[in-house]
Amino acid sequence: MIAHRSLGQIFAAPLVIAILSTLGLISALVGDGWWDAVSWAALGLPVLLYIAFVWRRRPN
Amino acid sequence: MLVTTLQAGHDAADDQTIQAIQLIATTTSLRRWGAVHKWTSLICTLFMLLLCITGLPLIFHEQIDELLHDQVKPAEVPAGTPRANLDQVLANAMAQQPGKVPHFLIWDRDDPNAMFVSVGPTIDADPTNNLLVRMDTHTGAYLDAPDFTRRFTFIMLKLHTDMFAGLPGKLFLGLMGILFCVAIISGIVVYAPSMRKLRFGTYRGHRTRVVRWLDVHNLAGILLVAWTLVVGFTGVINTWADLVLKMWQFGQLAEMTAQYRDRLVPAKLASLNAAVEVASQAMPGMTPSFVAFPGTTFSSKSHYAVFMHGDTPLTSRLLKPALIDAETGKLTDSRDMPWYVLTLFVSQPLHFGDYGGMPLKIVWALLDVLTIFVLVTGLYLWWRRRKAGVSQERAIANAAAIDNPLSDRRDAAE
């Protein structure tokens, strides 16, 4: 158990992920090639994070 | 000294009172958000499950169609082979469909070697019942006229867009989409109390199912916020497509063709091939997407409406019409679509996920599966709390839910 977290602490990571997802959604619309790759990485990140967190079965 | 100490004690007491009031206010407000989250989710969840499940195969509709249905392949031609004359393509298509009339000529987005002629029994028949005649772009030869309406992907598409209930079905699903967006936003708010004592990404794998699924719900829900909001809201916009196109027909299109309003469909139409050439010359750098024949919903009675698109992932979705007088073959008008149609065009790729190649489609599918997890775990949490006789709003708003998602403040106090 850890101490109470502030709203800033709670929403810092989700905010970064939301911004990256938005960039990913726009990126593939702008161009092909690298623009597509940015999109795959940015939108693939939430999926990878989900798998990583659940895989670790972290007790806390 | 004593006075200052007393004063300080007094201030501390005041601060405590203020803090307590703030806490109550926050808890009341959170409980309200909890209620919003519960009700919007409950109403839309089953429909969202339907949409997520039917949407999954739709992401890969081309691959599934290719796998399930044999199609006549267009001729293999070397790059740079000139395209067949469109009047010839049209004549060949209509020879296969005697007694019917062409409504639209459509270039296949996915296969540059094929195109479609959409035909109906009469020019004013409902085009949604049209037959699509597939033609070879280069030889102009007839390929086939498959019945799309019996395909698996078509059934999925109908379930996904209107549940076989037409416009009311679409608008209803749009309403469910709006509730889904409200559920996501209220979900962000109630995520905070739930995570007050937990690190980001917490998954308590050794705990009971209700704790584990609460963690999955919170984790997947917050990771997917941006994507679910965008796909949800662009889906809502898509449910308004019919209305948006009606607005365009009675707005800009009616304006562009006002002086032709009382004319009849010409007895003999000018060359289709020449009309498309005129449109292409008027819009250099753009490619034809489809042609609406005179008398159809997307044109006037006296025009070919040639819809052109650009060549980047975004501009290839933005159609721009050129109106060609079907008697003289001359360009009469061409304007950019109004903002509400452009919004619809931009919202389509963002909903379909078909604008970044196969890897983006796979990511789209994985995100869709995670959304299903969020829906199912949310439904389960509601059902378990209900069974345990716990106030949902309190459990959602209460920090005590961290340790036991089935508890609320009353239990915690006891």
Side-chain angles (χ1 to χ4, degrees), chain B residues 276-295:
Chain B
V276 172
E277 250 166 41
V278 168
S280 301
Q281 275 160 15
M283 284 182 248
M286 293 182 86
T287 317
S289 171
F290 76 95
V291 181
F293 281 70

Side-chain angles (χ1 to χ4, degrees), chain B residues 83-104:
Chain B
R83 293 174 162 203
N85 183 295
L86 294 174
D87 294 306
Q88 193 57 54
V89 173
L90 181 67
N92 291 350
M94 298 322 292
Q96 296 287 335
Q97 300 292 330
K100 295 201 172 175
V101 292
H103 283 193
F104 309 105

Side-chain angles (χ1 to χ4, degrees), chain A residues 1-5 7 10-11 13-14 17-18 21-22 24-26 28-32 36 39-40 43-44 46-47 49-50 53-54 57-60, chain B residues 188 191-192 195-206 216 219-220 222-223 226 230 313-314 349-350 355-356 359-360 363-364 366-367 370 373 403:
Chain A
M1 190 65 55
I2 55 172
H4 270 234
R5 296 163 72 83
L7 284 182
I10 291 172
F11 283 112
I17 291 160
S21 303
T22 309
L25 283 164
I26 296 168
L29 270 183
V30 177
D32 290 319
D36 281 342
S39 178
W40 305 334
L43 288 170
V47 180
L49 283 177
Y50 176 84
F53 282 127
V54 171
R57 299 194 147 223
R58 168 171 157 157
N60 235 343
Chain B
I188 300 171
Y191 175 78
M195 297 304 285
R196 235 172 249 153
K197 290 185 180 174
L198 296 173
R199 281 196 190 86
F200 173 70
T202 296
Y203 175 70
R204 291 163 291 180
H206 60 287
V216 165
L219 175 59
I222 204 72
L223 283 170
V230 168
L314 180 64
L350 286 170
Y355 60 107
L360 189 66
V363 170
W364 222 258
L366 293 170
L367 291 167
L370 284 185
F373 284 12
D403 299 314

Side-chain angles (χ1 to χ4, degrees), chain B residues 280-347:
Chain B
S280 301
Q281 275 160 15
M283 284 182 248
M286 293 182 86
T287 317
S289 171
F290 76 95
V291 181
F293 281 70
T296 58
T297 44
F298 292 105
S299 190
S300 79
K301 283 185 175 156
S302 13
H303 289 92
Y304 286 117
V306 184
F307 288 80
M308 311 282 288
H309 64 78
D311 56 1
T312 73
L314 180 64
T315 58
S316 72
R317 310 292 171 144
L318 308 181
L319 301 179
K320 183 177 177 182
L323 296 180
I324 313 289
D325 189 315
E327 232 168 343
T328 65
K330 291 214 167 63
L331 176 74
T332 68
D333 205 345
S334 174
R335 297 184 201 173
D336 283 320
M337 287 285 205
W339 67 269
Y340 52 88
V341 182
L342 293 179
T343 307
L344 173 67
F345 287 156
V346 175
S347 77

Side-chain angles (χ1 to χ4, degrees), chain B residues 25-297:
Chain B
T26 314
T27 312
T28 313
S29 153
L30 279 175
R31 218 181 285 166
R32 266 190 213 130
W33 279 107
V36 170
H37 189 61
K38 179 181 91 170
W39 284 109
T40 51
S41 307
L42 269 181
I43 297 167
C44 76
T45 290
L46 284 182
F47 295 99
M48 283 301 134
L49 273 174
L50 167 81
L51 293 176
C52 285
I53 292 165
T54 54
L56 200 55
L58 287 177
I59 300 172
F60 304 105
H61 67 95
E62 294 153 42
Q63 287 73 25
I64 294 172
D65 278 344
E66 207 169 306
L67 203 72
L68 294 182
H69 309 281
D70 289 326
Q71 291 207 115
V72 179
K73 288 207 166 46
E76 300 262 354
V77 290
T81 306
R83 293 174 162 203
N85 183 295
L86 294 174
D87 294 306
Q88 193 57 54
V89 173
L90 181 67
N92 291 350
M94 298 322 292
Q96 296 287 335
Q97 300 292 330
K100 295 201 172 175
V101 292
H103 283 193
F104 309 105
L105 177 78
I106 307 159
W107 281 262
D108 191 337
R109 273 189 72 92
D110 308 312
D111 183 359
N113 298 320
M115 55 197 314
F116 300 100
V117 181
S118 171
V119 300
T122 59
I123 197 65
D124 48 8
D126 179 3
T128 53
N129 300 324
N130 277 7
L131 184 70
L132 286 174
V133 184
R134 259 177 94 241
M135 305 297 292
D136 189 307
T137 311
H138 299 102
T139 67
Y142 167 85
L143 296 173
D144 52 9
D147 181 4
F148 289 97
T149 61
R150 303 179 72 176
R151 291 184 170 186
F152 168 73
T153 48
F154 182 83
I155 294 165
M156 290 297 114
L157 181 69
K158 286 298 277 182
L159 285 172
H160 191 84
T161 49
D162 65 8
M163 305 183 296
F164 292 96
L167 185 61
K170 272 187 198 173
L171 296 177
F172 176 80
L173 287 178
L175 198 64
M176 293 300 113
I178 292 171
L179 290 179
F180 180 59
C181 292
V182 176
I184 296 167
I185 292 163
S186 57
I188 300 171
V189 177
V190 299
Y191 175 78
S194 201
M195 297 304 285
R196 235 172 249 153
K197 290 185 180 174
L198 296 173
R199 281 196 190 86
F200 173 70
T202 296
Y203 175 70
R204 291 163 291 180
H206 60 287
R207 297 283 297 273
T208 54
R209 178 187 286 169
V210 70
V211 179
R212 278 183 281 130
W213 283 27
L214 172 70
D215 286 348
V216 165
H217 187 74
N218 281 334
L219 175 59
I222 204 72
L223 283 170
L224 264 60
V225 155
W227 184 82
T228 43
L229 268 180
V230 168
V231 174
F233 191 66
T234 51
V236 172
I237 294 175
N238 274 300
T239 64
W240 301 331
D242 294 357
L243 304 180
V244 165
L245 292 173
K246 274 272 173 291
M247 259 174 88
W248 175 74
Q249 280 168 31
F250 289 106
Q252 193 185 56
L253 181 64
E255 230 172 77
M256 289 164 86
T257 59
Q259 75 248 44
Y260 293 85
R261 196 183 304 146
D262 303 323
R263 296 213 196 161
L264 297 172
V265 178
K268 191 178 178 309
L269 295 180
S271 159
L272 171 65
N273 199 67
V276 172
E277 250 166 41
V278 168
S280 301
Q281 275 160 15
M283 284 182 248
M286 293 182 86
T287 317
S289 171
F290 76 95
V291 181
F293 281 70
T296 58
T297 44

Side-chain angles (χ1 to χ4, degrees), chain B residues 336-402:
Chain B
D336 283 320
M337 287 285 205
W339 67 269
Y340 52 88
V341 182
L342 293 179
T343 307
L344 173 67
F345 287 156
V346 175
S347 77
Q348 287 178 337
L350 286 170
H351 188 73
F352 307 152
D354 61 350
Y355 60 107
M358 184 45 79
L360 189 66
K361 289 187 175 200
I362 293 169
V363 170
W364 222 258
L366 293 170
L367 291 167
D368 184 89
V369 170
L370 284 185
T371 308
I372 296 176
F373 284 12
V374 177
L375 294 170
V376 171
T377 51
L379 202 59
Y380 174 78
L381 287 168
W382 165 77
W383 173 74
R384 280 289 285 137
R385 282 171 181 156
R386 201 179 121 88
K387 216 176 87 177
V390 170
S391 153
Q392 303 279 337
E393 292 81 355
R394 279 171 181 243
I396 293 172
N398 196 335
I402 296 163

